[in-house]
mmCIF file of all heavy atoms in Angstrom:
data_model
loop_
_atom_site.group_PDB
_atom_site.id
_atom_site.type_symbol
_atom_site.label_atom_id
_atom_site.label_comp_id
_atom_site.label_asym_id
_atom_site.label_seq_id
_atom_site.Cartn_x
_atom_site.Cartn_y
_atom_site.Cartn_z
ATOM 1 N N PRO A 351 120.636 94.566 116.545
ATOM 2 C CA PRO A 351 121.526 93.596 117.235
ATOM 3 C C PRO A 351 123.034 93.676 116.652
ATOM 4 O O PRO A 351 123.873 93.181 117.353
ATOM 5 C CB PRO A 351 120.952 92.222 116.980
ATOM 6 C CG PRO A 351 119.555 92.412 116.687
ATOM 7 C CD PRO A 351 119.491 93.806 115.932
ATOM 8 N N GLN A 352 123.147 94.276 115.495
ATOM 9 C CA GLN A 352 124.508 94.414 114.849
ATOM 10 C C GLN A 352 125.356 95.484 115.544
ATOM 11 O O GLN A 352 126.505 95.604 115.392
ATOM 12 C CB GLN A 352 124.431 94.693 113.395
ATOM 13 C CG GLN A 352 123.414 93.874 112.630
ATOM 14 C CD GLN A 352 123.664 92.433 112.562
ATOM 15 O OE1 GLN A 352 124.782 91.974 112.594
ATOM 16 N NE2 GLN A 352 122.561 91.592 112.518
ATOM 17 N N ALA A 353 124.660 96.365 116.370
ATOM 18 C CA ALA A 353 125.296 97.493 117.004
ATOM 19 C C ALA A 353 126.375 96.953 118.082
ATOM 20 O O ALA A 353 125.968 96.029 118.870
ATOM 21 C CB ALA A 353 124.394 98.422 117.510
ATOM 22 N N THR A 354 127.439 97.535 118.177
ATOM 23 C CA THR A 354 128.438 97.212 119.159
ATOM 24 C C THR A 354 128.121 97.707 120.509
ATOM 25 O O THR A 354 128.385 97.020 121.496
ATOM 26 C CB THR A 354 129.835 97.758 118.632
ATOM 27 O OG1 THR A 354 130.276 97.246 117.388
ATOM 28 C CG2 THR A 354 130.993 97.493 119.753
ATOM 29 N N HIS A 355 127.554 98.892 120.505
ATOM 30 C CA HIS A 355 127.351 99.613 121.910
ATOM 31 C C HIS A 355 125.865 99.462 122.286
ATOM 32 O O HIS A 355 124.989 99.329 121.480
ATOM 33 C CB HIS A 355 127.765 100.995 121.836
ATOM 34 C CG HIS A 355 129.253 101.163 121.355
ATOM 35 N ND1 HIS A 355 130.251 100.549 122.048
ATOM 36 C CD2 HIS A 355 129.835 101.770 120.295
ATOM 37 C CE1 HIS A 355 131.358 100.873 121.434
ATOM 38 N NE2 HIS A 355 131.125 101.607 120.392
ATOM 39 N N GLU A 356 125.682 99.592 123.611
ATOM 40 C CA GLU A 356 124.298 99.375 124.240
ATOM 41 C C GLU A 356 123.305 100.376 123.834
ATOM 42 O O GLU A 356 122.214 100.176 123.479
ATOM 43 C CB GLU A 356 124.410 99.312 125.681
ATOM 44 C CG GLU A 356 123.045 99.066 126.392
ATOM 45 C CD GLU A 356 123.161 99.125 127.838
ATOM 46 O OE1 GLU A 356 124.150 99.617 128.473
ATOM 47 O OE2 GLU A 356 122.259 98.620 128.533
ATOM 48 N N TRP A 357 123.821 101.779 123.820
ATOM 49 C CA TRP A 357 122.922 102.819 123.420
ATOM 50 C C TRP A 357 122.959 103.011 121.862
ATOM 51 O O TRP A 357 124.054 103.071 121.281
ATOM 52 C CB TRP A 357 123.243 104.075 124.127
ATOM 53 C CG TRP A 357 122.649 104.070 125.429
ATOM 54 C CD1 TRP A 357 123.153 103.734 126.560
ATOM 55 C CD2 TRP A 357 121.362 104.586 125.755
ATOM 56 N NE1 TRP A 357 122.269 103.894 127.765
ATOM 57 C CE2 TRP A 357 121.103 104.424 127.200
ATOM 58 C CE3 TRP A 357 120.207 105.128 124.982
ATOM 59 C CZ2 TRP A 357 119.875 104.793 127.861
ATOM 60 C CZ3 TRP A 357 119.075 105.441 125.677
ATOM 61 C CH2 TRP A 357 118.872 105.321 127.077
ATOM 62 N N ILE A 358 121.834 103.212 121.330
ATOM 63 C CA ILE A 358 121.644 103.399 119.887
ATOM 64 C C ILE A 358 120.931 104.671 119.504
ATOM 65 O O ILE A 358 119.907 105.009 120.170
ATOM 66 C CB ILE A 358 120.931 102.200 119.238
ATOM 67 C CG1 ILE A 358 121.839 100.841 119.364
ATOM 68 C CG2 ILE A 358 120.588 102.467 117.850
ATOM 69 C CD1 ILE A 358 120.987 99.636 118.908
ATOM 70 N N LEU A 359 121.492 105.396 118.514
ATOM 71 C CA LEU A 359 120.758 106.508 117.978
ATOM 72 C C LEU A 359 120.447 106.202 116.478
ATOM 73 O O LEU A 359 121.310 105.944 115.673
ATOM 74 C CB LEU A 359 121.659 107.808 118.018
ATOM 75 C CG LEU A 359 121.051 109.001 117.248
ATOM 76 C CD1 LEU A 359 119.782 109.462 117.972
ATOM 77 C CD2 LEU A 359 122.111 110.075 117.222
ATOM 78 N N LEU A 360 119.213 105.930 116.214
ATOM 79 C CA LEU A 360 118.732 105.533 114.834
ATOM 80 C C LEU A 360 118.286 106.726 114.058
ATOM 81 O O LEU A 360 117.422 107.390 114.454
ATOM 82 C CB LEU A 360 117.747 104.404 114.865
ATOM 83 C CG LEU A 360 117.569 103.615 113.599
ATOM 84 C CD1 LEU A 360 117.105 102.174 113.947
ATOM 85 C CD2 LEU A 360 116.629 104.286 112.668
ATOM 86 N N VAL A 361 119.019 106.954 112.895
ATOM 87 C CA VAL A 361 118.671 108.212 112.146
ATOM 88 C C VAL A 361 118.388 107.744 110.686
ATOM 89 O O VAL A 361 119.369 107.097 110.053
ATOM 90 C CB VAL A 361 119.927 109.150 112.215
ATOM 91 C CG1 VAL A 361 119.538 110.457 111.393
ATOM 92 C CG2 VAL A 361 120.215 109.568 113.680
ATOM 93 N N ASP A 362 117.293 108.176 110.043
ATOM 94 C CA ASP A 362 117.038 107.905 108.784
ATOM 95 C C ASP A 362 117.943 108.753 107.942
ATOM 96 O O ASP A 362 118.365 109.862 108.349
ATOM 97 C CB ASP A 362 115.628 108.104 108.417
ATOM 98 C CG ASP A 362 114.675 106.957 108.902
ATOM 99 O OD1 ASP A 362 115.232 105.816 109.124
ATOM 100 O OD2 ASP A 362 113.500 107.217 109.030
ATOM 101 N N ALA A 363 118.169 108.372 106.589
ATOM 102 C CA ALA A 363 119.072 109.191 105.806
ATOM 103 C C ALA A 363 118.651 110.540 105.508
ATOM 104 O O ALA A 363 119.403 111.520 105.248
ATOM 105 C CB ALA A 363 119.237 108.447 104.480
ATOM 106 N N ASP A 364 117.251 110.834 105.529
ATOM 107 C CA ASP A 364 116.781 112.192 105.269
ATOM 108 C C ASP A 364 116.592 112.954 106.592
ATOM 109 O O ASP A 364 115.841 114.021 106.565
ATOM 110 C CB ASP A 364 115.489 112.046 104.567
ATOM 111 C CG ASP A 364 114.438 111.274 105.280
ATOM 112 O OD1 ASP A 364 114.620 110.865 106.459
ATOM 113 O OD2 ASP A 364 113.248 111.031 104.673
ATOM 114 N N GLU A 365 117.271 112.553 107.534
ATOM 115 C CA GLU A 365 117.257 113.284 108.886
ATOM 116 C C GLU A 365 118.590 113.774 109.256
ATOM 117 O O GLU A 365 119.632 113.252 108.713
ATOM 118 C CB GLU A 365 116.682 112.367 110.074
ATOM 119 C CG GLU A 365 115.211 111.977 109.818
ATOM 120 C CD GLU A 365 114.781 110.883 110.801
ATOM 121 O OE1 GLU A 365 115.708 110.241 111.407
ATOM 122 O OE2 GLU A 365 113.567 110.752 111.021
#
Side-chain angles (χ1 to χ4, degrees):
Q352 318 294 330
T354 301
H355 305 303
E356 180 184 22
W357 275 93
I358 291 173
L359 174 64
L360 199 150
V361 182
D362 284 341
D364 58 6
E365 297 170 338

